[in-house]
Amino acid sequence: MGGQKNEDSRATYFTLSVPTMIKGTCALPLFAMAFCVLWSLVFDFDASTRTHCKVWNCLPTISAVIGGFTPQRYVWRICITLHAPQRLMVAAGYYRFHTAVPLAARSPLYRSAALLASLLNGVEVLSLVGLSMISSTENYALHENLFICFMACGLTYMLLTIILMRWGRFCQHWTPTPQEVKSVRYKTGLFLFKLSCFALAVYLFFRHNAYCEPGVYSLFAALEYVVCVSNIAFHGTLHWDFGQSFVLGLAHQRQFSKQATQ
């Protein structure tokens, strides 16, 4: 007497959660910035801190260290390129996040604002990739325009995200979770901090070009680092918005056979 028993089971090889993804995505530009600045200070100090004014400075700008020096520019380009796909995926995911509230079904204006926010986020990422691949030493005008686009889209996206979360989640049809309340609070603080630091950095940039004072360009560079870190921290608040949602998984369907012979 013989018989055969078939069982189907799914063996999962790995999954990737949003918190894990966002840690890796934030770590790449942070590492790239730290490596490029520190390497330049140690090995290319004079060249990286020199400006047309020829006055004393002790810190290089990010644009300087990722432009004409190696291996800095290669490390920066690799890290920014690797983190870009996840950022674009998040930009698309935020549209679904914003339109998950009841208000989205009743307000075309809200849905349009959510779409605009996602598009601005995507353009911000692509502009960052562009200014990373085209350095200021290769094409200053294009690099400058890409940087302006990156900052304008990034700041507008941040403001729209805060407005959308307050509009869609702090209303009578939706009770925000503690994580959402925390996310909005941190987003608001980081946006205002980044905007203030960026405005001061712009002032120092033009002051350096106008008066060529020692150390002013270093202050501008330091604020540039702060703006970069605050931008990364803002995008890191995704952790509270998406929670433990799994974004990637790989599974394989296997069939097991068991035979018994009597």
Side-chain angles (χ1 to χ4, degrees):
M1 179 176 179
Q4 183 173 330
K5 182 181 179 181
N6 294 330
E7 296 178 357
D8 292 336
S9 66
R10 184 170 293 274
T12 301
Y13 292 148
F14 72 87
T15 55
L16 180 63
S17 66
V18 166
T20 302
M21 182 197 72
I22 201 62
K23 287 175 184 176
T25 304
C26 291
L28 284 168
L30 276 175
F31 166 77
M33 183 185 72
F35 174 86
C36 292
V37 171
L38 292 174
W39 189 280
S40 299
L41 287 174
V42 174
F43 297 104
D44 301 293
F45 179 82
D46 291 334
S48 64
T49 58
R50 186 185 306 124
T51 70
H52 70 281
C53 288
K54 298 180 180 180
V55 294
W56 176 86
N57 283 292
C58 62
L59 290 176
T61 64
I62 296 177
S63 294
V65 301
I66 68 174
F69 304 100
T70 56
Q72 296 95 306
R73 63 178 173 184
Y74 299 126
V75 172
W76 178 266
R77 289 174 181 179
I78 290 171
C79 289
I80 295 301
T81 302
L82 287 176
H83 105 299
Q86 295 92 290
R87 289 283 309 278
L88 292 173
M89 183 170 60
V90 167
Y94 257 112
Y95 177 75
R96 296 189 64 182
F97 170 78
H98 289 309
T99 55
V101 297
L103 179 64
R106 305 191 313 272
S107 174
L109 179 60
Y110 178 87
R111 293 196 302 273
S112 298
L115 179 60
L116 178 60
S118 292
L119 290 174
L120 287 171
N121 194 2
V123 174
E124 176 197 9
V125 176
L126 295 176
S127 298
L128 176 59
V129 174
L131 68 89
S132 300
M133 297 301 170
I134 305 171
S135 68
S136 58
T137 56
E138 294 169 335
N139 190 325
Y140 182 83
L142 183 55
H143 179 87
E144 182 182 40
N145 289 331
L146 286 169
F147 176 77
I148 293 172
C149 183
F150 166 71
M151 290 302 303
C153 290
L155 288 169
T156 308
Y157 156 74
M158 288 180 173
L159 180 60
L160 263 179
T161 298
I162 295 167
I163 292 173
L164 285 166
M165 290 193 70
R166 291 185 177 276
W167 187 6
R169 283 171 161 74
F170 290 72
C171 62
Q172 60 180 347
H173 302 287
W174 186 277
T175 301
T177 65
Q179 290 78 15
E180 289 171 341
V181 174
K182 188 175 184 179
S183 177
V184 171
R185 185 170 69 249
Y186 273 84
K187 279 181 170 66
T188 303
L190 287 166
F191 167 73
L192 293 174
F193 179 69
K194 177 185 174 181
L195 183 62
S196 301
C197 290
F198 178 67
L200 182 56
V202 171
Y203 164 75
L204 291 172
F205 176 81
F206 285 108
R207 184 181 180 94
H208 166 75
N209 288 333
Y211 299 106
C212 287
E213 298 166 305
V216 171
Y217 206 64
S218 296
L219 292 175
F220 164 74
L223 283 171
E224 194 179 34
Y225 307 157
V226 173
V227 169
C228 182
V229 172
S230 62
N231 187 69
I232 294 170
F234 184 96
H235 293 294
T237 59
L238 164 71
H239 171 81
W240 294 310
D241 297 336
F242 286 76
Q244 295 293 327
S245 302
F246 285 96
V247 296
L248 179 63
L250 178 62
H252 176 62
Q253 189 75 22
R254 299 180 63 187
Q255 186 178 58
F256 297 92
S257 298
K258 182 178 180 181
Q259 293 183 345
T261 304
Q262 186 176 7

